[in-house]
Amino acid sequence: MKSRVVTPFPAPESRQVEVHSAPSLGLTRRMRRNRKAEWSRRLVRENLLTSDDLIWPIFLMDAAEACTPVEWMPGVDRLNIDEAVRQAAAAAELGIPAIAPFPFVEKALRDPTGSEALNGQNLMCRAVRAIKKEVPQIGIICDAALDPYTSHGHDGVMDGERVLNDASVAILVRQALALADAGADVIAPSDMMDGRVAAIREALDAGGHEDVQIMAYAAKYASAFYGPFRDAIGTNATLIGDKRTYQMDPANSDEAMAEVALDLEEGADMIMVKPGLPYLDVVARVKEHFRVPTFAYQVSGEYAMLMAAVRNGWLDGDKAILESLLAFKRAGADGVLTYFAPRVAKALKAAR
Ligand SMILES: NCC(=O)CCC(=O)O
Ligand SMILES: [Mg+2]
């Protein structure tokens, strides 16, 4: 019997590859044709990110220093009022339509009922007045929620361990009125109490604020991605327990549809899904079904993840950030709240 010689690899001459004379596959449809040049890629592009899509969340702080860095959000600062006015002007110049301020409230001003939220001279109200006066062309979206103001870090008032719904709504309504009186263009209830949109709408109308819009944090999830925000506004130190009795279970999406339906019935002009990238399925489902102005919040944890990799040189910053924001547009969002707003607006301007 002849023994077979097994060659582990083909001999060198049979490994020659004829690149140019390979037979055509005879395909009718070649998806790559439209991708062959930049002009063609631009022509067939389905979604576009522009500065009109950006809402910039900023942090406020009563401080002598213009900027106080937020440790867990590299590149983000808490701004005193003068600096917030300056940066709002710069944002308007960059074509950013709106900002969303959040206050770092001194510990001494926090109490169990969040009463500082009702003070018409509090940090938020003073900042809103100052920005409205100097930069009237930028929209100001103000959160209605008590967490920056409560000693326990919850978005409402408590009875023992329980966050009370209706009692919290009564306070949120007064907070919303104080913000509207200061000049807020949009009230954004982020508290996830039931019935707060209707109550706020009614009070705004009764208070002569028919034109103040409501952007409801309609589907806000009890998420681990808010960690760095809590560092920024100082609630990581105060928060007792978690927010799972009012914010949504990350496992659910039918429930998000019910939340959005309710907020729209109650008078929300715009709705929001939060967090962003991990919940794009919810954004897509909501937009597809309700066809209303739909926003998503690329939250602090998403910002921190991207920035950590960018700072390590593991990701190309502008490219990764722009791609992350384009994903929201693809999912159907009309706009995104993002800490990257000024960076992105600058990059988009430079690319024009
Ligand atoms: N109500 C506003 C937030 O909770 C923001 C959360 C974040 O950026 O992590
Ligand atoms: Mg709700």
Side-chain angles (χ1 to χ4, degrees):
M1 210 168 110
K2 260 170 67 183
S3 66
R4 247 163 31 99
V5 183
V6 181
T7 37
F9 299 105
E13 60 275 15
S14 63
R15 287 166 65 187
Q16 296 286 326
V17 177
E18 259 322 316
V19 177
H20 299 292
S21 63
S24 166
L25 288 171
L27 303 179
T28 309
R29 202 136 184 243
R30 288 185 186 268
M31 296 303 287
R32 289 183 53 191
R33 274 189 203 115
N34 286 343
R35 299 177 201 143
K36 71 180 179 189
E38 181 58 16
W39 66 263
S40 181
R41 291 191 290 271
R42 273 169 48 217
L43 199 59
V44 301
R45 191 157 289 151
E46 297 172 43
N47 293 286
L48 201 59
L49 179 74
T50 79
S51 60
D52 290 345
D53 301 315
L54 305 171
I55 296 170
W56 185 27
I58 61 169
F59 297 110
L60 302 172
M61 188 172 179
D62 248 330
E65 304 74 39
C67 300
T68 309
V70 177
E71 195 189 337
W72 297 3
M73 299 178 72
V76 170
D77 295 314
R78 302 183 195 95
L79 315 175
N80 71 11
I81 292 182
D82 289 345
E83 183 63 18
V85 171
R86 274 192 291 275
Q87 298 220 12
E93 193 61 35
L94 284 168
I96 295 171
I99 55 170
F102 295 93
F104 175 95
V105 178
E106 282 166 47
K107 202 148 188 237
L109 295 175
R110 302 183 195 211
D111 65 21
T113 62
S115 63
E116 176 65 7
L118 308 183
N119 173 5
Q121 294 301 324
N122 68 20
L123 176 59
M124 275 288 284
C125 292
R126 280 182 285 124
V128 169
R129 274 191 216 98
I131 295 167
K132 265 288 115 175
K133 181 156 172 269
E134 300 297 328
V135 197
Q137 69 275 31
I138 203 159
I140 308 185
I141 301 173
C142 292
D143 228 57
L146 298 180
D147 52 317
Y149 303 97
T150 51
S151 42
H152 43 67
H154 282 286
D155 296 27
V157 286
M158 302 185 79
D159 179 16
E161 307 259 281
R162 235 161 64 84
V163 175
L164 300 175
N165 193 88
D166 300 16
S168 297
V169 170
I171 303 175
L172 291 164
V173 163
R174 293 169 63 193
Q175 177 186 27
L177 277 175
L179 292 165
D181 286 341
D185 297 293
V186 181
I187 299 296
S190 74
D191 54 289
M192 288 299 278
M193 298 301 125
D194 290 319
R196 88 284 204 213
V197 171
I200 290 173
R201 182 72 271 159
E202 195 187 337
L204 288 174
D205 290 353
H209 296 298
E210 294 88 354
D211 289 337
V212 170
Q213 294 143 279
I214 295 179
M215 175 186 277
Y217 285 74
K220 178 174 180 178
Y221 287 85
S223 170
F225 289 93
Y226 307 146
F229 176 91
R230 291 178 189 162
D231 175 46
I233 66 162
T235 52
N236 56 345
T238 52
L239 182 62
I240 296 166
D242 59 53
K243 302 191 177 183
R244 286 181 297 169
T245 69
Y246 46 107
Q247 298 178 349
M248 282 182 56
D249 183 338
N252 299 349
S253 121
D254 286 346
E255 190 186 353
M257 302 299 277
E259 284 281 10
V260 170
L262 275 169
D263 284 1
L264 289 171
E265 274 167 37
E266 290 181 28
D269 303 286
M270 307 177 246
I271 62 92
M272 193 207 296
V273 173
K274 180 183 171 189
L277 286 187
Y279 294 84
L280 282 189
D281 58 316
V282 179
V283 174
R285 217 181 144 187
V286 162
K287 182 64 181 184
E288 180 76 24
H289 184 82
F290 293 101
R291 298 268 150 210
V292 297
T294 302
F295 294 83
Y297 199 139
Q298 184 177 50
V299 299
S300 58
E302 300 175 63
Y303 174 90
M305 282 198 303
L306 274 164
M307 280 308 279
V310 169
R311 293 231 155 174
N312 270 322
W314 295 343
L315 285 176
D316 176 325
D318 281 348
K319 273 198 187 146
I321 291 162
L322 285 165
E323 185 179 329
S324 76
L325 291 169
L326 192 55
F328 290 98
K329 296 300 299 287
R330 203 179 58 241
D334 295 287
V336 189
L337 290 93
T338 174
Y339 301 99
F340 291 119
R343 175 175 180 158
V344 164
K346 274 180 212 147
L348 291 172
K349 208 169 183 175
R352 271 210 310 261

XYZ file of all heavy atoms in Angstrom, residues 192-196 217-218 259 262-263, ligand 2:
82
model
N -41.107 61.265 38.238
C -41.831 60.002 38.042
C -42.951 59.749 39.051
O -43.375 58.597 39.250
C -40.868 58.804 37.985
C -40.057 58.733 36.704
S -41.043 58.572 35.185
C -41.370 56.815 35.169
N -43.492 60.816 39.659
C -44.723 60.643 40.445
C -45.885 60.515 39.444
O -45.835 61.102 38.354
C -44.973 61.859 41.353
C -43.897 62.103 42.394
S -43.646 60.722 43.527
C -41.881 60.436 43.325
N -46.921 59.787 39.835
C -48.093 59.674 38.955
C -48.922 60.952 39.022
O -49.126 61.509 40.100
C -48.964 58.485 39.396
C -48.296 57.153 39.111
O -47.680 57.016 38.030
O -48.368 56.259 39.981
N -49.389 61.399 37.881
C -50.336 62.525 37.834
C -49.706 63.901 37.901
O -50.409 64.917 37.935
N -48.372 63.960 37.892
C -47.772 65.292 38.079
C -47.875 66.161 36.842
O -47.941 67.397 36.971
C -46.330 65.179 38.605
C -45.221 65.061 37.573
C -45.113 63.696 36.950
N -43.730 63.516 36.444
C -43.419 62.828 35.382
N -44.361 62.213 34.666
N -42.162 62.703 35.003
N -40.301 63.740 31.601
C -39.466 62.554 31.709
C -40.484 61.419 31.882
O -40.854 61.067 32.995
C -38.585 62.616 32.947
C -37.389 63.540 32.902
C -37.538 64.918 32.995
C -36.092 63.016 32.832
C -36.420 65.758 33.002
C -34.976 63.850 32.847
C -35.153 65.215 32.933
O -34.048 66.041 32.957
N -40.979 60.924 30.751
C -42.112 59.998 30.796
C -41.657 58.591 31.162
O -42.247 57.925 32.001
C -42.826 59.989 29.449
N -46.653 54.738 30.310
C -46.203 55.993 30.942
C -46.295 57.158 29.955
O -46.748 58.250 30.298
C -44.752 55.859 31.439
C -44.582 55.046 32.716
C -44.945 55.847 33.961
O -45.499 56.950 33.844
O -44.671 55.349 35.073
N -49.943 58.170 29.222
C -50.518 58.946 30.320
C -50.024 60.392 30.303
O -50.798 61.333 30.431
C -50.150 58.305 31.667
C -51.054 57.182 32.154
C -50.415 56.486 33.348
C -52.429 57.732 32.539
N -48.705 60.566 30.140
C -48.159 61.928 30.170
C -48.695 62.756 29.008
O -48.939 63.958 29.160
C -46.626 61.902 30.170
C -46.060 61.524 31.544
O -46.873 61.270 32.465
O -44.825 61.472 31.702
Mg -45.650 58.643 34.812
